[in-house]
Amino acid sequence: MTTLGQNIERRAERFVERYGAVREQIGRVIVGHHDIVQGVLTCLFVGGHCLLEGVPGLGKTLLVRTLAKTLDLKFSRIQFTPDLMPADILGTNMVMETPEGRRAFEFQRGPIFTQICLADEINRATPKTQSAMLETMQEGSVSIAGQVFQLERPFFVMATQNPIEQEGTYPLPEAQLDRFFFKLVVGYSTREELNTVVDRTTRGQHVEAEQVMDGAEILEWQALVREVILAPHVQDYVVRLTLATHPQGPLAPPATNSFLRWGSSPRGAQTLALAAKVRALLDGRYNVSFEDVRRVYLPSMRHRVILNFEAQAENIDADRILLEILEKIPEKAAD
């Protein structure tokens, strides 16, 4: 093995070790939800934002707060409410008096000026307020009164939302949904997990996660993920899975044409590629397999496709359509 190959192998082994350290600390507080924890950590190690959806009380906010405690990063929480305004997130110019007695505008930074931001119940706020997050999530910056302020890297938005059917919520704009790397659906705990939760929370036990990683190390692992090899035939599989979500497209299966109004943007393909690279590293490999891509398809795509009226009328969700796409699109393209 070449020196370069040995170096990559050592770094990959170290990545698995450090990934396990973060996951272990989260596991001290969070019971179960292993797939959700893995999805959140995947977002962390590629520099993507994460959207957690589930009914209240399932531990979404606790998971994000626990993750923040394991990382030596600046942390802030924004509780989204219907009366929240964009300035409450980004900040605003205020009139301040100088030592000389003169008055001047001074920008007061909002809670978005952090490194890991918990956007709690993000769909409780109006679309106008939600749109304040668009630039920060895509560009990592804030523009106020002609000035551009860069946010400190790494920067993550970990948002929680209640299902759209509940009263007092606003569906997230499609452009904002597309900026989330993963959408993870948090389900109910099992019988064993719920017993553990009751034991931990009703007997006076209090377990805290410990800090095990800082921002510089996170940026290092983000760079390593991008070095994982994505072979041309696997990349073409990623592209075809993305194009298969486009209604009336040349690769669209019957379910896409029947139940989707819009398909995924190119961000969907980028997400599939990066998330699959993380899966490969965690499996001790330095090249992406077809199985890696399939395993990250649902969280990568479920928020990027828009259902049409027929799907809503027949109570068909995005996951069902995406699973049919996975079944219909072969790993190797036809000659």
Side-chain angles (χ1 to χ4, degrees):
M1 182 180 294
T2 64
T3 303
L4 179 59
Q6 292 174 342
N7 180 50
I8 293 177
E9 182 176 354
R10 286 195 299 269
R11 291 168 64 199
E13 291 175 353
R14 179 64 174 165
F15 170 77
V16 174
E17 177 186 332
R18 299 298 290 153
Y19 176 98
V22 176
R23 185 163 186 167
E24 180 184 355
Q25 291 302 317
I26 293 176
R28 296 179 61 185
V29 179
I30 302 297
V31 179
H33 297 305
H34 301 297
D35 290 342
I36 302 299
V37 172
Q38 181 159 312
V40 169
L41 293 182
T42 297
C43 294
L44 172 71
F45 289 116
V46 299
H49 310 295
C50 185
L51 177 63
L52 298 168
E53 181 179 279
V55 297
L58 298 182
K60 303 183 299 297
T61 301
L62 179 61
L63 171 58
V64 180
R65 293 185 68 92
T66 303
L67 174 64
K69 289 180 180 179
T70 69
L71 308 174
D72 187 15
L73 300 176
K74 299 175 183 176
F75 171 74
S76 68
R77 173 182 176 177
I78 305 174
Q79 182 65 51
F80 282 70
T81 57
D83 59 348
L84 192 72
M85 298 299 291
D88 297 327
I89 298 172
L90 305 177
T92 186
N93 283 313
M94 301 186 66
V95 178
M96 307 293 289
E97 188 169 331
T98 66
E100 295 79 18
R102 302 176 58 185
R103 293 182 178 180
F105 282 106
E106 182 177 313
F107 180 62
Q108 300 293 313
R109 299 189 173 197
I112 198 63
F113 283 86
T114 185
Q115 289 180 285
I116 179 167
C117 175
L118 168 55
D120 211 2
E121 295 188 302
I122 191 171
N123 60 332
R124 292 287 183 193
T126 62
K128 176 182 179 181
T129 300
Q130 292 172 7
S131 68
M133 304 289 290
L134 289 178
E135 182 186 1
T136 63
M137 294 174 65
Q138 180 62 31
E139 308 294 339
S141 61
V142 173
S143 297
I144 297 288
Q147 287 186 287
V148 178
F149 301 87
Q150 294 295 326
L151 300 177
E152 187 175 353
R153 296 184 61 219
F155 171 72
F156 310 96
V157 173
M158 300 291 179
T160 70
Q161 73 168 10
N162 297 322
I164 300 301
E165 297 81 40
Q166 292 197 356
E167 295 182 2
T169 62
Y170 300 84
L172 268 64
E174 288 78 7
Q176 184 173 356
L177 278 172
D178 198 32
R179 284 164 171 79
F180 283 103
F181 190 85
F182 272 179
K183 178 183 176 181
L184 303 173
V185 179
V186 183
Y188 293 105
S189 300
T190 65
R191 179 179 179 180
E192 293 76 13
E193 291 168 352
L194 194 54
N195 270 302
T196 304
V197 170
V198 173
D199 284 341
R200 288 187 180 182
T201 56
T202 63
R203 296 186 177 182
Q205 299 176 353
H206 185 66
V207 181
E208 291 281 352
E210 299 177 359
Q211 286 187 357
V212 294
M213 190 175 294
D214 59 18
E217 185 176 352
I218 293 171
L219 294 176
E220 176 187 340
W221 300 133
Q222 289 177 4
L224 174 64
V225 167
R226 283 158 174 77
E227 295 179 25
V228 175
I229 297 171
L230 181 64
H233 63 287
V234 181
Q235 179 172 306
D236 185 61
Y237 184 53
V238 168
V239 170
R240 286 184 288 114
L241 284 175
T242 305
L243 293 177
T245 66
H246 297 170
Q248 311 308 322
L251 297 177
T256 295
N257 293 328
S258 298
F259 300 116
L260 291 187
R261 185 157 55 97
W262 297 103
S264 171
S265 72
R267 288 194 186 98
Q270 295 168 337
T271 297
L272 278 176
L274 287 171
K277 289 185 176 187
V278 175
R279 298 290 314 198
L281 276 178
L282 293 176
D283 202 32
R285 290 177 284 104
Y286 322 114
N287 57 288
V288 176
S289 69
F290 292 117
E291 181 61 22
D292 294 326
V293 176
R294 285 192 292 269
R295 293 180 70 178
V296 298
Y297 190 60
L298 292 184
S300 299
M301 289 291 185
R302 60 166 57 107
H303 56 300
R304 304 182 197 276
V305 297
I306 301 177
L307 303 175
N308 60 18
F309 176 78
E310 286 77 10
Q312 296 173 6
E314 297 184 29
N315 200 28
I316 295 175
D317 61 13
D319 283 15
R320 177 174 167 182
I321 299 168
L322 294 172
L323 287 172
E324 181 166 332
I325 291 175
L326 279 177
E327 181 181 340
K328 298 294 184 182
I329 301 300
E331 293 178 352
K332 296 182 179 180
D335 294 332

